[in-house]
C-alpha cells in the first residue's frame, strides 16, 4: 500500500514498561470479551428456541448469563480498551510519556473492580443485568466493583489531563494536537457523565444492600442510571471515532479534510451526550412528558456530530482511494486496502453503524419509541452500534495495536480479514431478526427458549437471531485465535509497526481567530455543566425529596 | 471558520431531515393526540392492595364507551391476568407494581410503559380490531420473568 500523501511523524518511543501496563489493561478487556461471547451465543440461540444453557457448568440461570454478557462485553471490554487506548493516543500526540504511577493505579483499580464483580456474578449474587434496576438487589461487591471500574477510568483520564497540561505548559500559544484533543474530550465527557452512576452505586445502592438504609427509591436510582446511561454509549463510541478520525485516514492513504470539524464534532459530543438520558425513560410514569420532550430535542441535536462524522470520514476514505489510483464516482472504494485486516474491520464497522444510527433515530423519537421500547428492536439496534461499530473498530485497532505493544508480527492477517466479514454477515442477519421481531412486539431480555408465551410472528426473527448470533460468535472466535497466536507465537522483528499511524489534516489548525477557542477545555466543560443543569435540574428540583419506599428483592 | 461547500450542503440536508422528523413527532403528539405516560400519582408500593383504585383490579365502565382497566403487576404475574374489553371503546389502563420494576406491553399496539414501584402508570388506547392480544412484562424482574404474561381479549 502506498501512502504518498501522508507525512510520517516518526521518532517516538513509549517506554517498554508503559507499553506493558497498557497491554495488560487491554488484555483484561479481551478476556472479558471472550467470557461474554459464550453467553451471547447462548442468548441468541435461546431466541431461536434452542437451549444450550445446560452446557454451561456452574451457570444457575439464563439471567445470570445475560448479566455476565452485558457487563463483560459492554462495560469491561469497552472501558478496558479505552483505559489503555486513549492515554496512549494522548501520549503519542503530545510526544510524551504517561505518568507511570497513574497507569498502574488505573490498572490495579480495574482488576480489583473486575474481581469483585466476577465474585458477585459468578456466585449468582448479582443477576440484576447491567442496568441493575433497584429494587432488585445485588450483593455489595457488585456495586462497589462496578464503581471501582468507573474510578479506574477517572484515573486514566487524570493521566491524560496531566500529560496534556504538561505539554501545553511547554507549548504556549500552540494548538492542542488533534489526536490528543479528541482523546481527552472523549474521557472528559465520560468523567462528567459517570458521576451520577457513581453516586447511585456508592451513595445509595451500596448502603442499601449493606442494610444501612432499609429502603431504596426505584425511580431515582433508575434516573441516575440513565443520567449516565445514554452518555455511556458515547463513551463506548468515541474511542472508535478517535480511530476513524485520526488513524483510519492515514491507514487508507488519505487525510482528514478539516481539523476544525474534527474538533467541533467532539466538542458537540462533550456538550450534548449527557443531557439526553431521559429518552431512555420515555415510557416511565412519574417523569414529566415536558422534560422528556426537552431531552428528546437535545437527542436529535446529538445526531448532528454523527452526521458531520459521516461526511469527514467518507471524504478521507475517498481521498485515500483516489490516491491509490481509484477513479470514477465509486471506483475509489475498490482501491481501499481491503487486504489490511485493521482497515477492513473498521470499514465494515462504519457500514453497520449507518444502520445502527438509523435505528437509533427511531428509539430517540418521542412517541414512536413506544412501538419499540423494550422489544428486541433495542438489542437489534445496539448490537449494530456498540456490538459491531464499536466492537469491530476495537478489533480492527487491535490488529496494529497488539503488534505495536508486543513487538510481534500479526499472525495470519488473512484470518483477521475473514473474521470481520463473518462477523459483519452475522450481525446483519442477527439484527434483521431482532428488529423485525421487535416490531411484532417480541420483548427483549427474556429466556425465550423457556418462555410460557409466544407469537408465531416472532419465529422467523428468532431463527435469524440464532443464525446471526452463531456467525458473530465464529467471527469473534477467529479474532481471538489471531490475537492469541500473535501474542504467543508472532514473529519478532520486521513488519512490526514501530509507531502509531496517525494522520494529519489537509490544512493545519489555525493559531489565530475564533478556532482557537475550541481548545479552551475548561470553558467548554463549564458550558456542558450548565446544559446538564438545565436539562436535569428541573427534574430533580421537582422530584426531591427522594422517596425511600422499596425494600430489596432477590428473586434470581 | 471555513466550511467546505459539500460539507455545508450535507449538514444542511441532515438538518432538514431532523426538522422534518421533529415536526412529524410534534404532529403525532399534538395533532394525533398520542401521549407518553407522565406524572399520575404516587403510592406506597408496600400498600398497593389497600390503595384505590388497586383495591379492585379489573375492568370498570366509567362512561359510554369508556373503561378503566386496573392492573397490578408482581413477580411474576399480572392481576388480573385476563381482561375483556369491547372494541372501539376508550380503554384507560391504570397499573402499578407491587414489588420490582416490571414492564407493561400489549404486543403490536402503542400500549407500552414501565411499571415502577411507587408510581402509577396510565395510558389510554382504543382497540379497533377484535382479537386476542398478548400482555407482556418486558422488563427483567427475576428468574420467572419469561413466564409473566397476560391476555387482553377485544370483543
Amino acid at each position: 500500500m502506498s501512502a504518498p500523501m501522508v507525512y510520517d511523524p516518526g521518532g517516538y518511543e513509549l517506554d517498554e514498561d508503559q507499553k506493558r501496563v497498557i497491554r495488560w489493561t487491554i488484555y483484561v478487556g479481551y478476556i472479558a470479551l471472550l467470557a461474554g461471547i459464550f453467553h451471547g451465543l447462548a442468548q441468541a440461540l435461546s431466541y431461536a428456541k434452542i437451549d444450550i444453557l445446560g452446557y454451561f457448568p456452574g451457570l444457575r440461570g439464563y439471567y445470570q448469563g445475560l448479566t455476565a454478557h452485558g457487563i463483560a462485553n459492554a462495560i469491561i471490554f469497552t472501558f478496558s480498551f479505552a483505559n489503555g487506548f486513549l492515554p496512549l493516543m494522548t501520549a503519542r500526540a503530545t510526544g510524551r510519556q504517561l505518568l507511570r504511577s497513574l497507569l498502574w493505579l488505573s490498572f490495579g483499580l480495574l482488576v480489583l473492580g473486575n474481581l469483585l464483580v466476577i465474585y458477585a456474578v459468578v456466585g449468582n449474587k448479582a443477576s440484576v443485568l447491567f442496568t441493575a434496576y433497584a429494587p432488585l438487589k445485588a450483593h455489595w461487591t457488585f456495586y462497589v466493583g462496578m464503581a471501582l471500574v468507573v474510578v479506574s477510568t477517572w484515573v486514566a483520564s487524570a493521566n491524560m489531563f496531566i500529560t496534556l497540561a504538561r505539554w501545553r505548559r511547554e507549548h504556549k500559544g500552540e494548538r492542542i494536537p488533534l489526536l490528543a484533543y479528541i482523546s481527552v474530550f472523549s474521557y472528559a465527557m465520560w468523567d462528567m457523565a459517570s458521576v451520577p452512576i457513581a453516586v447511585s452505586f456508592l451513595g445509595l445502592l451500596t448502603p442499601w444492600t449493606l442494610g444501612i438504609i432499609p429502603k431504596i427509591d426505584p425511580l431515582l436510582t433508575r434516573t441516575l442510571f440513565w443520567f449516565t446511561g445514554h452518555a455511556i454509549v458515547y463513551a463506548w463510541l468515541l474511542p472508535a471515532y478517535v480511530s476513524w478520525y485520526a488513524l483510519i485516514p492515514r491507514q487508507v492513504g488519505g487525510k482528514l479534510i478539516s481539523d476544525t470539524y474534527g474538533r467541533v464534532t467532539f466538542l458537540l459530543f462533550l456538550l450534548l451526550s449527557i443531557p439526553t438520558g431521559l429518552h431512555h425513560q420515555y415510557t416511565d410514569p412519574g417523569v414529566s412528558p415536558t422534560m422528556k420532550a426537552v431531552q428528546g430535542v437535545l437527542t436529535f441535536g446529538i445526531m448532528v456530530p454523527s452526521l458531520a462524522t459521516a461526511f469527514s470520514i467518507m471524504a478521507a476514505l475517498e481521498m485515500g482511494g483516489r490516491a491509490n489510483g481509484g477513479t470514477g464516482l465509486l471506483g475509489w472504494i475498490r482501491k481501499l486496502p481491503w487486504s489490511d485486516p485493521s482497515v477492513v474491520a473498521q470499514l465494515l464497522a462504519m457500514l453497520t453503524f449507518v444502520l445502527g444510527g438509523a435505528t437509533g433515530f427511531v428509539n430517540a423519537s418521542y412517541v414512536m419509541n413506544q412501538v419499540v421500547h423494550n422489544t428486541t428492536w433495542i438489542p437489534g439496534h445496539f448490537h449494530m452500534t456498540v456490538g459491531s461499530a464499536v466492537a469491530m473498530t476495537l478489533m480492527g485497532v487491535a490488529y496494529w495495536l497488539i503488534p505495536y505493544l508486543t513487538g510481534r508480527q500479526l499472525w495470519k492477517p488473512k484470518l483477521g480479514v475473514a473474521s470481520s466479514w463473518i462477523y459483519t454477515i452475522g450481525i446483519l442477519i442477527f439484527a434483521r431478526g431482532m428488529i423485525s421481531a421487535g416490531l411484532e412486539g417480541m420483548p427483549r431480555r427474556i429466556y425465550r427458549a423457556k418462555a410460557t408465551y409466544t407469537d408465531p410472528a416472532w419465529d422467523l426473527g428468532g431463527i435469524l437471531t440464532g443464525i446471526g448470533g452463531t456467525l458473530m460468535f465464529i467471527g469473534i472466535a477467529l479474532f481471538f485465535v489471531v490475537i492469541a497466536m500473535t501474542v504467543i507465537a508472532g514473529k519478532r522483528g520486521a513488519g512490526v509497526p514501530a509507531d502509531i499511524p496517525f494522520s494529519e489534516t489537509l490544512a493545519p489548525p489555525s493559531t489565530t481567530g475564533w478556532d482557537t477557542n475550541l481548545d479552551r477545555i475548561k470553558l467548554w466543560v463549564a458550558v456542558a455543566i450548565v446544559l446538564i443543569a438545565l436539562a436535569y435540574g428541573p427534574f430533580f428540583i421537582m422530584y426531591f425529596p427522594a422517596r425511600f419506599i422499596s425494600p430489596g428483592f432477590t428473586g434470581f | 471558520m471555513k466550511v467546505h461547500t459539500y460539507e455545508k450542503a450535507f449538514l444542511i440536508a441532515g438538518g432538514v431531515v431532523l426538522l422534518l422528523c421533529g415536526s412529524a413527532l410534534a404532529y403525532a403528539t399534538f395533532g394525533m393526540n398520542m401521549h407518553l405516560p407522565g406524572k399520575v400519582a404516587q403510592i406506597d408500593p408496600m400498600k398497593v392492595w389497600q390503595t384505590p383504585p388497586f383495591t379492585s383490579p379489573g375492568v370498570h365502565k366509567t362512561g359510554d364507551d369508556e373503561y378503566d382497566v386496573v392492573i397490578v403487576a408482581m413477580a411474576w404475574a399480572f392481576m388480573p391476568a385476563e381482561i375483556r374489553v369491547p372494541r372501539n371503546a376508550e380503554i384507560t389502563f391504570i397499573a402499578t407494581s407491587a414489588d420490582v420494576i416490571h414492564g407493561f406491553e400489549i404486543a403490536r399496539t402503542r400500549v407500552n410503559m414501565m411499571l415502577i414501584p411507587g408510581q402509577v402508570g396510565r395510558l389510554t388506547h382504543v382497540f379497533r380490531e377484535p382479537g386476542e392480544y398478548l400482555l407482556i412484562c418486558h422488563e427483567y424482574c427475576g428468574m420467572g420473568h419469561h413466564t409473566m404474561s397476560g391476555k387482553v381479549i377485544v370483543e
Side-chain angles (χ1 to χ4, degrees):
Chain A
M1 183 187 79
S2 64
M5 301 177 65
V6 175
Y7 158 76
D8 190 345
Y12 173 78
E13 282 268 4
L14 187 69
D15 287 350
E16 200 51 44
D17 177 52
Q18 303 209 348
K19 276 188 183 173
R20 190 183 313 121
V21 192
I22 290 174
R23 194 160 75 219
W24 278 98
T25 303
I26 290 171
Y27 288 166
V28 169
Y30 288 150
I31 294 164
L33 180 66
L34 182 62
I37 61 170
F38 286 94
H39 296 294
L41 175 67
Q43 285 137 29
L45 289 175
S46 164
Y47 273 102
K49 293 189 180 172
I50 299 165
D51 194 358
I52 60 165
L53 241 53
Y55 298 99
F56 286 69
L59 193 70
R60 268 171 272 181
Y62 179 83
Y63 302 102
Q64 187 188 4
L66 192 53
T67 305
H69 178 66
I71 288 173
N73 289 14
I75 309 278
I76 305 299
F77 168 52
T78 50
F79 283 110
S80 303
F81 183 87
N83 273 359
F85 180 66
L86 295 177
L88 174 65
M89 291 300 108
T90 308
R92 178 59 192 95
T94 55
R96 300 184 65 96
Q97 303 294 320
L98 293 160
L99 278 78
R100 191 169 169 274
S101 54
L102 292 184
L103 268 180
W104 279 106
L105 181 61
S106 168
F107 176 70
L109 287 166
L110 178 72
V111 170
L112 183 61
N114 262 288
L115 290 176
L116 290 176
V117 172
I118 289 169
Y119 168 79
V121 173
V122 170
N124 198 33
K125 298 170 195 295
S127 298
V128 295
L129 309 191
F130 90 94
T131 44
Y133 295 140
L136 278 174
K137 185 151 110 180
H139 194 256
W140 68 267
T141 47
F142 176 79
Y143 303 116
V144 173
M146 293 287 272
L148 286 181
V149 171
V150 171
V151 175
S152 83
T153 65
W154 294 347
V155 175
S157 308
N159 209 343
M160 296 161 64
F161 299 148
I162 294 171
T163 304
L164 180 64
R166 289 182 175 175
W167 180 87
R168 289 185 93 176
R169 267 206 300 276
E170 292 164 10
H171 297 77
K172 294 252 189 257
E174 284 183 40
R175 298 295 301 275
I176 300 171
L178 181 67
L179 177 59
Y181 184 96
I182 62 182
S183 302
V184 164
F185 266 60
S186 300
Y187 253 4
M189 183 282 290
W190 166 246
D191 292 335
M192 286 190 285
S194 52
V195 171
I197 208 171
V199 167
S200 175
F201 276 34
L202 285 180
L204 295 170
L205 295 169
T206 301
W208 170 61
T209 194
L210 290 172
I212 298 166
I213 52 175
K215 290 183 178 175
I216 196 77
D217 182 337
L219 183 56
L220 177 64
T221 45
R222 180 177 162 86
T223 305
L224 287 173
F225 179 87
W226 286 116
F227 197 158
T228 295
H230 189 65
I232 209 173
V233 309
Y234 292 106
W236 298 333
L237 183 63
L238 292 183
Y241 270 22
V242 168
S243 173
W244 295 3
Y245 267 94
L247 308 178
I248 274 291
R250 178 191 172 98
Q251 286 177 282
V252 302
K255 284 185 185 183
L256 191 60
I257 194 161
S258 166
D259 176 277
T260 303
Y261 264 72
R263 288 176 207 251
V264 168
T265 299
F266 279 77
L267 174 57
L268 287 174
F269 279 117
L270 179 85
L271 297 179
L272 293 175
S273 293
I274 305 167
T276 50
L278 280 184
H279 77 245
H280 289 255
Q281 294 175 272
Y282 279 151
T283 63
D284 280 17
V287 181
S288 117
T290 314
M291 297 305 307
K292 294 173 183 174
V294 168
Q295 298 205 7
V297 171
L298 288 169
T299 308
F300 269 42
I302 195 133
M303 291 166 190
V304 173
S306 276
L307 281 170
T309 300
F311 182 90
S312 300
I313 305 305
M314 288 295 276
L317 292 178
E318 181 176 347
M319 210 182 296
R322 293 199 188 281
N324 294 340
T327 51
L329 191 60
L330 296 173
W332 55 271
I333 296 175
R334 277 192 308 118
K335 292 290 184 180
L336 292 172
W338 290 100
S339 58
D340 178 341
S342 175
V343 173
V344 171
Q346 297 183 66
L347 291 178
L348 295 173
M350 293 168 194
L351 188 72
T352 61
F353 192 60
V354 173
L355 300 169
T359 48
F361 203 64
V362 174
N363 308 349
S365 294
Y366 201 60
V367 286
M368 195 153 50
N369 172 278
Q370 272 182 307
V371 179
V372 296
H373 176 75
N374 267 6
T375 68
T376 52
W377 168 286
I378 305 296
H381 153 74
F382 69 65
H383 280 84
M384 289 197 291
T385 56
V386 65
S388 57
V390 175
M392 277 205 288
T393 298
L394 304 198
M395 289 191 261
V397 169
Y399 290 136
W400 65 259
L401 181 62
I402 296 301
Y404 169 76
L405 290 173
T406 56
R408 291 175 183 273
Q409 281 178 30
L410 190 65
W411 186 82
K412 295 209 191 306
K414 277 184 184 161
L415 218 51
V417 173
S419 153
S420 295
W421 280 104
I422 294 168
Y423 191 84
T424 304
I425 294 165
I427 180 68
L428 292 176
I429 297 171
F430 171 94
R432 166 64 171 76
M434 287 221 131
I435 278 175
S436 61
L439 288 173
E440 302 283 356
M442 179 156 78
R444 68 183 283 200
R445 298 185 152 180
I446 56 161
Y447 185 9
R448 183 163 188 248
K450 289 273 161 43
T452 50
Y453 57 88
T454 186
D455 185 314
W458 303 342
D459 287 343
L460 176 64
I463 288 166
L464 292 176
T465 301
I467 294 171
T470 307
L471 287 172
M472 290 161 77
F473 178 80
I474 294 169
I476 290 210
L478 277 180
F479 163 78
F480 274 111
V481 172
V482 173
I483 292 301
M485 290 305 288
T486 302
V487 172
I488 298 164
K491 287 201 193 90
R492 292 187 183 275
V496 175
D499 201 354
I500 291 158
F502 74 102
S503 38
E504 57 179 12
T505 47
L506 267 184
S510 81
T511 49
T512 54
W514 190 88
D515 279 26
T516 54
N517 286 320
L518 293 171
D519 288 10
R520 298 173 67 184
I521 300 176
K522 283 177 195 151
L523 169 75
W524 293 116
V525 167
V527 174
I529 291 171
V530 170
L531 261 180
I532 295 165
L534 288 175
Y536 266 105
F539 171 84
F540 286 110
I541 289 167
M542 288 188 283
Y543 189 78
F544 279 121
R547 301 174 69 233
F548 295 98
I549 47 174
S550 284
F553 294 86
T554 49
F556 46 78
Chain B
M1 194 159 72
K2 181 168 147 279
V3 183
H4 292 260
T5 317
Y6 288 148
E7 178 152 29
K8 200 186 279 176
F10 183 84
L11 286 177
I12 289 171
V16 168
V17 170
L18 285 177
L19 276 179
L20 286 176
C21 291
S23 312
L25 288 173
Y27 178 71
T29 308
F30 301 109
M32 297 165 76
N33 212 24
M34 293 181 179
H35 291 287
L36 292 177
K39 286 187 179 175
V40 177
Q42 298 182 326
I43 61 168
D44 182 345
M46 305 307 289
K47 293 183 183 143
V48 167
W49 304 104
Q50 294 95 52
T51 312
F54 302 104
T55 43
S56 52
V59 182
H60 308 283
K61 192 170 168 67
T62 54
D64 290 345
D65 284 333
E66 284 178 23
Y67 297 81
D68 278 356
V69 176
V70 177
I71 294 182
V72 177
M74 63 210 144
W76 293 287
F78 291 105
M79 172 75 201
E82 186 178 312
I83 54 164
R84 285 170 187 274
V85 293
R87 69 170 154 156
N88 294 329
E90 203 177 281
I91 313 293
T92 300
F93 292 95
I94 302 166
T96 194
S97 163
D99 42 47
V100 297
I101 293 182
H102 293 284
F104 189 96
E105 177 205 354
I106 300 177
R108 274 174 258 165
T109 70
R110 284 186 55 250
V111 179
N112 189 333
M113 64 178 161
M114 303 304 299
L115 301 180
I116 297 169
Q119 301 290 339
V120 177
R122 187 209 300 265
L123 263 185
T124 300
H125 188 69
V126 176
F127 293 89
R128 302 282 177 202
E129 299 287 325
E132 201 179 292
Y133 293 75
L134 257 180
L135 168 61
I136 302 164
C137 170
H138 66 23
E139 185 54 80
Y140 170 64
C141 55
M143 63 183 166
H145 169 50
H146 50 280
T147 64
M148 184 168 168
S149 70
K151 261 185 220 166
V152 177
I153 297 158
V154 178
E155 297 173 318

